Amino acid sequence: MSAAVISRLLRAPSDIAASCREDRDTRAIALASLGAIALGSAVFGGVIGSFRGGEQILYAAIKVPLAMLITLALCAPALHALAAVLGRPRPMRSVIALALASAGRSSLVLLAFAPVLWLLIDLGLGYHASSVVAWLAYAVAGLAALGVLVRGIGAGPGRALTAVAFVAVFFAVGGQAAWILRPYLGRPSEKTVPFLRAREGSFSDALVRSCRSALGIYDRVGPYRTQGTEGYEGDEEGAAPGDLGDLTEGSR
């Protein structure tokens, strides 16, 4: 992992984006970004897992970077194709380097947030509050990644459309990858936390259910209880009342 490239990721993201766009130093950028992803997202995942402690620390430290790498592996070919269709063709290595650089910068932001979250958890921050703080950290990290991605697209006609297409692909694929790999915090009501939770629908299902819950419309998720029922924390046949809590335990 090159310290010089890491420094550029932090201090000069526009320079990194220009290098990717112009197909310069892509190998060095890609390798350094992979190192940043492995370090930053694993540390942040471990901090999230510290809410529950024990093996959950290791589980979350594995799953957060894994979700990010799965997202990148699936998105890079799609971004390459979208760029070509929208009149901004780039070599595949440039697109991969740009995607990795975006994720690398976001992982460094997560690394910066990790001590804060760890302190809050150590001071007794609750389950739902921890989920919210983790979500906010991911939101800031996502904005940092978006900045690199948009700069990498470059100026000119079709820039906004290309950026929106890229973000839509990342959001859909990243959300589903994080959803599949949950839990990250671990529900307090569970005696043991599995490495992977039962599927319980998809990321899009969770978005719909969470929006309906926010409007006061609760869907029946088990044979006896309904989302929104007092004391309900989820059971084997359903999800917790903020299905996105499973995702924001460590997602994004």
Side-chain angles (χ1 to χ4, degrees):
M1 184 165 59
S2 170
V5 176
I6 295 298
S7 178
R8 290 169 63 200
L9 271 174
L10 288 171
R11 299 181 180 183
S14 57
D15 182 47
I16 289 287
S19 294
C20 294
R21 187 173 62 249
E22 297 165 9
D23 199 17
R24 293 185 287 106
D25 303 326
T26 52
R27 178 180 174 83
I29 292 171
L31 291 176
S33 298
L34 277 172
I37 292 168
L39 175 63
S41 57
V43 170
F44 189 77
V47 169
I48 291 172
S50 70
F51 177 85
R52 180 76 184 216
E55 66 271 19
Q56 188 62 20
I57 296 175
L58 177 62
Y59 288 171
I62 292 172
K63 290 192 290 184
V64 172
L66 183 59
M68 193 169 293
L69 291 173
I70 289 172
T71 300
L72 292 172
L74 294 175
C75 284
L79 299 183
H80 180 257
L82 281 171
V85 169
L86 295 174
R88 292 174 174 270
R90 297 280 189 275
M92 187 65 180
R93 61 180 174 272
S94 297
V95 174
I96 292 174
L98 179 61
L100 286 171
S102 301
R105 190 160 196 261
S106 71
S107 295
L108 293 174
V109 172
L110 291 178
L111 182 62
F113 274 109
V116 177
L117 180 57
W118 194 1
L119 176 61
L120 291 174
I121 290 174
D122 189 57
L123 292 174
L125 193 67
Y127 171 79
H128 294 293
S130 296
S131 295
V132 170
V133 173
W135 182 87
L136 290 174
Y138 267 103
V140 175
L143 290 175
L146 180 61
V148 177
L149 199 63
V150 172
R151 289 184 180 99
I153 293 171
R159 181 184 188 185
L161 179 59
T162 305
V164 169
F166 279 17
V167 171
V169 170
F170 265 116
F171 179 76
V173 176
Q176 186 63 28
W179 178 256
I180 290 172
L181 291 173
R182 75 199 195 289
Y184 301 91
L185 276 168
R187 293 173 186 165
S189 60
E190 293 182 325
K191 294 181 179 179
T192 59
V193 181
F195 184 76
L196 295 177
R197 198 181 301 285
R199 184 175 178 182
E200 296 178 357
S202 67
F203 175 58
S204 58
D205 295 331
L207 283 176
V208 172
R209 282 196 295 268
S210 293
C211 290
R212 287 170 61 83
S213 296
L215 295 172
I217 304 171
Y218 302 109
D219 299 318
R220 191 173 185 83
V221 294
Y224 307 111
R225 288 177 291 180
T226 303
Q227 285 187 2
T229 302
E230 183 178 356
Y232 177 69
E233 295 186 74
D235 53 32
E236 291 182 355
E237 297 189 36
D243 280 317
L244 288 185
D246 276 336
L247 181 60
T248 55
E249 284 172 359
S251 161
R252 2 349 143 251

